[in-house]
């Protein structure tokens, strides 16, 4: 794990020599007061830093002891070890730094203390200090606040509060760093060729990975906070002159309306709070851990949601066919990409319908076509076929869960042991028949070949439902179950977008682009599903 710095925290080199201090901050001249105050009230963007007076119960106490007493009540100072207050005598004044020890960047704060030692204690005021820190530690963000709650919110984010005894305000210094890992290749979306960097649990690093690929001036990343207790950072990403403004406004409103204590599970909990889909097993958003996929989707007109502490991003709206796309197809030639796409489609269809169809033909030989003479079973084993299917399904799920929770060096041994137990031994004892193991293995491979992990699990539920329908109602059960599934998906919507687009409603050109990986020069328009402001992708 390496620390990830939020903001530009690296101090500039060559500033160890403090001899060039301005007169207004070293040996202070009274005539420079107005200049210092003017510099303090204006940041680098030229906007005024003055804030409205907070209510009386939200003001910062002017006495250091009362300030610390309130910190004990509000944030557990002297109880929670990471909440620390460092007092430093400065002439006849007392100053204090409030910070969380798990987030503070020691090098930056030591540099601040070293530079403060060159100031005259008589000029210690927020205006002078804000001007000084802004001008002579330019890589650091410094803001002033008189609100106690605002101060605590910023400190909980990792910033440091600079308190001066006798003044009802603090300076908030952005000197934080978060523990984070380096970008690594996503586990679920590996490619043979292409970038090997994936999202991490740090929001700013994820935005940086996308910005590296998307230097568009119209790209927008709006930051919001969700969760009364967690105060989780949520970022909405889109391209201003491409993405439908109604979609942006709708998603922004949904995020603002989320009322929840916390989001410890990040984007999944945010999705459930935004989309009340109940028990619907099919995903309404598309998750990805690849920044190149996010950049490509934003250029198509999609909107992306980033959630801090999550190594994935949500792209919306999404369709069933979006969930079966993979970055590997775009990394190969159009012909090979199309071939890989079709192999994947066949695997996905097999994962849903192969077992129910085989079960149907095994139960009703009369409805089996002649060219499928090999489908069926001469013997059914000691257990009923439906029970064999259910046990095999549970066995595959158990192996998958065991592989996730087993240490990496033991995964291979565990997999071999499970395969022997469920496959060879189960068949030899008569519990299973060979055909059940064969078709279950093909269905499992098709599920694992589904790019969207959530869609693969939903397809498994569909397969189980069709098996039960075939067992009870035979041919009508399969036909009615498949029809209901299609109608359900056709009527479903993702952020007011049809889930089966471009099949329902039908769009021939877009459907052709689904089945064929079109060459780049021929892919010159954006999908109409997103209602983009600019339909043409390639400038003329």
């Amino acid at each position: 794990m390496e620390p990830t710095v939020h903001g530009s925290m690296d101090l500039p080199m060559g500033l160890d020599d403090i001899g060039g201090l301005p007169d207004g901050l070293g040996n202070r001249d009274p005539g420079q007061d107005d200049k210092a105050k003017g510099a303090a009230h204006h940041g680098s963007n030229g906007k005024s830093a003055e804030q409205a007076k907070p209510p009386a119960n939200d003001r910062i106490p002017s006495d250091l002891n009362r300030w610390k007493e309130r910190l004990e009540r509000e944030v557990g100072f002297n109880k929670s070890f990471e909440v620390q207050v460092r007092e430093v005598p400065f002439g006849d004044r007392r100053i204090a730094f409030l910070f969380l020890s798990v987030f503070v960047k020691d090098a930056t704060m030591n540099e601040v203390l070293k530079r403060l030692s060159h100031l005259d204690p008589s000029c210690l005021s927020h205006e002078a200090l804000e001007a000084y820190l802004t001008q002579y530690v330019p890589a650091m963000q410094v803001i002033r606040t008189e609100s106690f709650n605002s101060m605590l919110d910023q400190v909980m984010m990792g910033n440091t509060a600079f308190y001066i005894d006798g003044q009802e305000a603090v300076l908030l210094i952005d000197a934080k760093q978060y523990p984070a890992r380096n970008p690594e290749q996503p586990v679920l979306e590996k490619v043979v060729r292409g970038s090997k960097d994936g999202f991490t649990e740090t929001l700013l690093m994820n935005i940086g990975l996308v910005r590296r690929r998307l230097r568009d001036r119209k790209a927008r990343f709006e930051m919001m906070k969700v969760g009364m207790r967690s105060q989780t950072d949520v970022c909405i990403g889109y391209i201003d002159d491409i993405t439908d403004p109604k979609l942006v406004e709708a998603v922004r409103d949904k995020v603002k309306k989320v009322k929840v204590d916390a989001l410890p599970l990040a984007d999944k909990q945010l999705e459930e709070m935004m989309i009340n889909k109940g028990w619907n097993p099919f995903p309404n958003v598309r998750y990805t851990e690849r920044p190149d996929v996010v950049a490509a989707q934003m250029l198509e007109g999609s909107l992306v949601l980033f959630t801090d502490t999550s190594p994935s991003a949500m792209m919306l709206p999404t369709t069933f066919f979006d969930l079966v796309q993979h970055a590997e197809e775009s990394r190969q030639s159009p012909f090979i990409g199309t071939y890989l796409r079709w192999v994947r489609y066949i695997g996905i269809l097999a994962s849903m319908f192969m077992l129910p169809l085989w079960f149907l033909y095994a139960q009703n030989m009369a409805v089996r076509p002649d060219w499928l003479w090999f489908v069926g079973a001469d013997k059914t084993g000691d257990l009923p076929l439906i029970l064999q299917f259910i046990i095999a399904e549970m066995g595959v799920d158990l192996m998958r869960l065991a592989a996730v929770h087993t240490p990496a060096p033991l995964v291979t041994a565990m997999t071999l042991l499970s395969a022997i137990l469920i496959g060879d031994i189960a068949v030899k004892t008569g519990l299973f028949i060979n055909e059940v193991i064969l078709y279950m293995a093909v269905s499992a491979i098709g599920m694992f070949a589904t790019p969207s992990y959530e869609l693969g699990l939903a397809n498994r539920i569909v397969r189980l439902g069709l098996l039960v329908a075939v067992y009870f109602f035979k041919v009508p059960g399969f036909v009615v179950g498949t029809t209901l599934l299609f109608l359900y998906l056709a009527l479903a919507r993702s952020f007011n977008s049809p889930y089966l687009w471009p099949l329902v409603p039908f769009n021939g050109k877009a459907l052709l682009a689904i089945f064929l990986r079109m060459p780049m020069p021929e892919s010159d328009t954006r999908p109409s599903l997103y209602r983009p402001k600019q339909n043409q992708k390639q400038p003329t």
Side-chain angles (χ1 to χ4, degrees):
M1 300 286 284
E2 293 186 2
T4 297
V5 180
H6 279 212
S8 300
M9 294 295 101
D10 294 332
L11 292 174
M13 301 299 293
L15 292 180
D16 292 335
D17 182 9
I18 314 295
L21 290 176
D23 294 337
L25 293 171
N27 297 323
R28 188 174 182 83
D29 181 11
Q32 302 293 329
D33 286 349
D34 294 339
K35 294 181 181 180
K37 291 182 179 180
H41 292 313
H42 295 274
S44 58
N45 58 2
K47 294 182 180 180
S48 174
E50 286 291 337
Q51 301 177 356
K53 287 284 186 181
N57 60 352
D58 189 30
R59 293 179 185 175
I60 295 175
S62 59
D63 180 71
L64 178 60
N65 293 329
R66 290 195 294 115
W67 183 66
K68 291 193 297 183
E69 289 174 0
R70 187 168 181 183
L71 290 178
E72 291 181 354
R73 297 193 306 268
E74 299 285 345
V75 293
F77 173 56
N78 287 332
K79 292 183 179 179
S80 189
F81 80 94
E82 82 283 6
V83 181
Q84 297 188 13
V85 174
R86 179 179 179 183
E87 296 185 44
V88 180
F90 199 77
D92 58 347
R93 305 285 290 279
R94 290 191 300 170
I95 64 175
F97 293 92
L98 169 65
F99 55 88
L100 299 183
S101 60
V102 293
F103 290 152
V104 69
K105 189 177 182 184
D106 295 335
T108 301
M109 294 312 302
N110 290 336
E111 187 69 20
V112 170
L113 289 173
K114 183 175 71 175
R115 291 172 181 270
L116 288 176
S117 65
H118 293 269
L119 292 180
D120 184 356
S122 63
C123 70
L124 196 63
S125 66
H126 285 107
E127 291 79 6
L129 285 174
E130 186 174 2
Y132 171 72
L133 294 175
T134 302
Q135 294 179 26
Y136 287 90
V137 192
M140 191 166 53
Q141 299 176 4
V142 181
I143 59 175
R144 179 176 181 270
T145 183
E146 298 180 3
S147 168
F148 192 87
N149 289 323
S150 177
M151 176 193 70
L152 293 185
D153 289 341
Q154 292 293 322
V155 170
M156 292 299 107
M157 290 175 56
N159 294 326
T160 299
F162 184 8
Y163 178 84
I164 303 175
D165 190 19
Q167 299 198 22
E168 296 182 340
V170 297
L171 294 179
L172 297 169
I173 303 173
D174 189 354
K176 61 179 176 289
Q177 62 182 12
Y178 290 159
R181 59 183 175 90
N182 290 327
E184 301 172 354
Q185 181 172 208
V187 177
L188 298 178
E189 299 176 273
K190 292 183 178 180
V191 294
V192 177
R193 295 193 181 275
S195 61
K196 301 299 189 292
D197 56 346
F199 290 138
T200 69
E201 290 76 15
T202 307
L203 177 63
L204 292 186
M205 183 180 291
N206 295 342
I207 302 298
L209 291 173
V210 176
R211 269 294 188 182
R212 185 180 179 187
R213 294 164 170 82
L214 193 61
R215 301 178 181 179
D216 192 343
R217 300 178 183 178
K218 296 294 184 178
R220 301 289 183 266
F221 295 93
E222 300 180 9
M223 193 74 76
M224 308 173 71
K225 290 188 181 299
V226 178
M228 182 179 65
R229 295 183 181 274
S230 65
Q231 291 288 299
T232 305
D233 291 323
V234 175
C235 180
I236 302 175
Y238 61 95
I239 300 181
D240 193 39
D241 59 344
I242 295 179
T243 308
D244 181 15
K246 293 182 179 179
L247 173 64
V248 176
E249 188 64 27
V251 174
R252 187 188 294 122
D253 289 343
K254 283 183 176 292
V255 174
K256 290 181 179 179
K257 291 179 181 179
V258 172
K259 304 298 181 184
V260 65
D261 270 359
L263 296 177
L265 301 183
D267 48 8
K268 187 58 185 175
Q269 290 182 323
L270 178 63
E271 176 201 347
E272 292 185 8
M273 293 299 298
M274 292 175 56
I275 308 172
N276 185 17
K277 65 176 185 177
W279 295 95
N280 175 20
F282 287 92
N284 287 95
V285 300
R286 178 184 175 187
Y287 287 97
T288 183
E289 297 180 7
R290 299 188 60 87
D292 53 355
V293 172
V294 168
Q297 285 297 114
M298 290 178 65
L299 289 170
E300 295 285 347
S302 182
L303 184 143
V304 183
L305 275 175
F306 302 88
T307 308
D308 196 23
T309 72
S310 173
S312 59
M314 290 189 293
M315 299 179 293
L316 48 94
T318 190
T319 67
F320 183 89
F321 297 102
D322 285 337
L323 297 169
V324 297
Q325 305 297 316
H326 194 275
E328 180 67 23
E329 301 160 2
S330 300
R331 294 291 184 177
Q332 304 296 332
S333 65
F335 185 88
I336 300 300
T338 300
Y339 167 74
L340 295 176
R341 184 172 292 184
W342 272 96
V343 169
R344 182 175 293 110
Y345 289 169
I346 293 173
I348 293 173
L349 290 175
S351 70
M352 299 174 65
F353 300 108
M354 177 174 285
L355 271 181
L357 279 174
W358 182 88
F359 186 38
L360 177 63
Y361 293 147
Q363 280 191 316
N364 303 271
M365 294 295 185
V367 301
R368 184 185 65 184
D370 294 336
W371 59 277
L372 291 178
W373 56 268
F374 56 87
V375 175
D378 296 332
K379 57 179 181 178
T380 60
D382 297 336
L383 294 177
L385 285 178
I386 185 64
L387 192 56
Q388 292 184 39
F389 286 133
I390 293 176
I391 294 176
E393 288 277 6
M394 294 180 62
V396 172
D397 278 333
L398 283 174
M399 285 193 293
R400 177 179 58 84
L401 294 175
V404 172
H405 302 306
T406 303
L410 303 178
V411 169
T412 303
M414 184 276 303
T415 304
L416 291 174
L417 178 63
S418 301
I420 293 173
L421 289 175
I422 295 181
D424 187 57
I425 296 179
V427 171
K428 288 181 178 180
T429 57
L431 294 178
F432 292 165
I433 61 175
N434 289 320
E435 288 84 353
V436 170
I437 300 299
L438 171 64
Y439 291 110
M440 177 58 66
V442 174
S443 298
I445 292 174
M447 186 195 74
F448 294 139
T450 307
S452 172
Y453 181 70
E454 292 78 14
L455 180 62
L457 295 178
N459 291 342
R460 165 163 288 188
I461 299 300
V462 170
R463 180 170 70 242
L464 285 173
L466 290 178
L467 281 172
V468 174
V470 169
Y471 174 73
F472 284 107
F473 305 105
K474 298 182 174 54
V475 175
F478 181 82
V479 174
V480 173
T482 304
T483 304
L484 291 177
L485 171 65
F486 180 80
L487 291 176
Y488 179 79
L489 295 178
L491 296 175
R493 304 185 75 82
S494 170
F495 280 85
N496 204 32
S497 298
Y499 199 61
L500 282 186
W501 185 92
L503 183 61
V504 179
F506 184 77
N507 186 317
K509 184 177 180 180
L511 189 62
L512 184 64
I514 293 294
F515 289 114
L516 303 177
R517 209 288 268 175
M518 305 300 292
M520 188 68 179
E522 299 180 17
S523 180
D524 57 351
T525 58
R526 295 185 172 89
S528 60
L529 173 75
Y530 301 128
R531 301 179 181 88
K533 292 182 179 179
Q534 298 182 17
N535 187 46
Q536 292 294 324
K537 288 198 295 186
Q538 301 176 12
T540 57

